[in-house]
Amino acid sequence: MIKLCVFDFDSTLMDGETITILSSAMGKDKEVGEITARAMAGELDFYESLVRRVRLIEGLELSRALEITSNLPFIAGAKEIIAYLKSKNIKTVVFSGGFHIATDSAQKKLGFDLNFANELHHKNGILTGNVGGEMMFGDSKGKMLLRLKDFMGLSSDEVACVGDGANDLSMFKEAGTGIAFCANKILKEAATHIIDIKDLNEIKKII
């Protein structure tokens, strides 16, 4: 029986990539999007790609970033699947290689239990182009899930993960159920289940 379900955020619960949406305010969305695509396909080291992308939004006003991230679009079924899992007493957690300014806002709207992400550094109300936090590396999600499993006393068979890109691979290795959601080929190959319909309600057929 599943007791914990971990979701990726960008392009899994949220419809798009937070860093690309933020960078559009700076006119850098095309450049950022290209780096993101390479990272999610496993062609570029995640840490390197994260640092390069965040540098491109240096100078963005924090107030504008907060406004953008409080109005992000969600994937169809996002609120419903969290409610469904919680009704089954399954803890819901988000691991994001993105940013707390997005996941913290989403937690209030969607109702998941906990989230781990990164912090965009800012000074005098302006983003500095620097980033730090809990999900900086390609294996961060797997390491954090291992800690959560130990803390909660769970086996891998009691854990499900939902994601779409290469930086989700490490957490899939720690879960008995790995759901590749509208995912890249590299993650589909590591998954126990594949969903190609852009509706998170499809997870109800699995869990």
Side-chain angles (χ1 to χ4, degrees), residues 1 12 34 63 73 86 89 128 131 140:
M1 181 182 290
T12 300
E34 290 173 354
S63 60
K86 294 183 80 170
N89 294 316
T128 66
V131 61
S140 293

Side-chain angles (χ1 to χ4, degrees), residues 53 94 124 135 156 159 162 169 206:
R53 287 177 291 168
V94 166
N124 299 324
M135 293 283 145
S156 294
V159 178
V162 186
L169 280 169
I206 300 169

Side-chain angles (χ1 to χ4, degrees), residues 90-106:
I90 297 172
K91 294 296 184 183
T92 53
V93 178
V94 166
F95 287 175
S96 177
F99 316 108
H100 271 292
I101 60 170
T103 56
D104 291 351
S105 175

Side-chain angles (χ1 to χ4, degrees), residues 25-183:
M26 304 287 288
K28 301 284 184 68
D29 47 316
K30 183 178 179 181
E31 191 172 351
V32 166
E34 290 173 354
I35 298 171
T36 300
R38 290 184 61 201
M40 292 302 98
E43 298 172 3
L44 191 64
D45 174 74
F46 182 77
Y47 173 77
E48 179 187 351
S49 73
L50 178 63
V51 170
R52 284 174 57 183
R53 287 177 291 168
V54 172
R55 281 201 194 108
L56 291 169
I57 58 172
E58 178 183 358
L60 181 64
E61 292 183 355
L62 177 61
S63 60
R64 178 65 176 137
L66 288 167
E67 178 188 358
I68 291 169
T69 53
S70 66
N71 291 286
L72 294 171
F74 296 117
I75 296 280
K79 192 172 183 66
E80 292 84 353
I81 195 60
I82 297 297
Y84 167 80
L85 294 171
K86 294 183 80 170
S87 75
K88 297 182 64 131
N89 294 316
I90 297 172
K91 294 296 184 183
T92 53
V93 178
V94 166
F95 287 175
S96 177
F99 316 108
H100 271 292
I101 60 170
T103 56
D104 291 351
S105 175
Q107 184 172 353
K108 295 174 184 176
K109 295 178 181 180
L110 300 181
F112 46 84
D113 295 300
L114 191 64
N115 80 87
F116 297 89
N118 299 313
E119 298 283 359
L120 289 170
H121 291 198
H122 53 87
K123 185 176 182 179
N124 299 324
I126 303 294
L127 299 188
T128 66
N130 295 318
V131 61
E134 305 137 0
M135 293 283 145
M136 292 283 289
F137 303 98
D139 61 355
S140 293
K141 294 184 180 184
K143 288 181 175 179
M144 188 63 76
L145 182 51
L146 185 59
R147 291 176 186 171
L148 268 186
K149 283 163 57 181
D150 288 344
F151 176 71
M152 298 175 69
L154 301 178
S155 67
S156 294
D157 289 341
E158 294 173 305
V159 178
C161 288
V162 186
D164 74 308
N167 72 319
D168 297 315
L169 280 169
S170 64
M171 70 174 181
F172 271 40
K173 292 175 183 177
E174 297 294 337
T177 300
I179 303 171
F181 181 78
C182 299

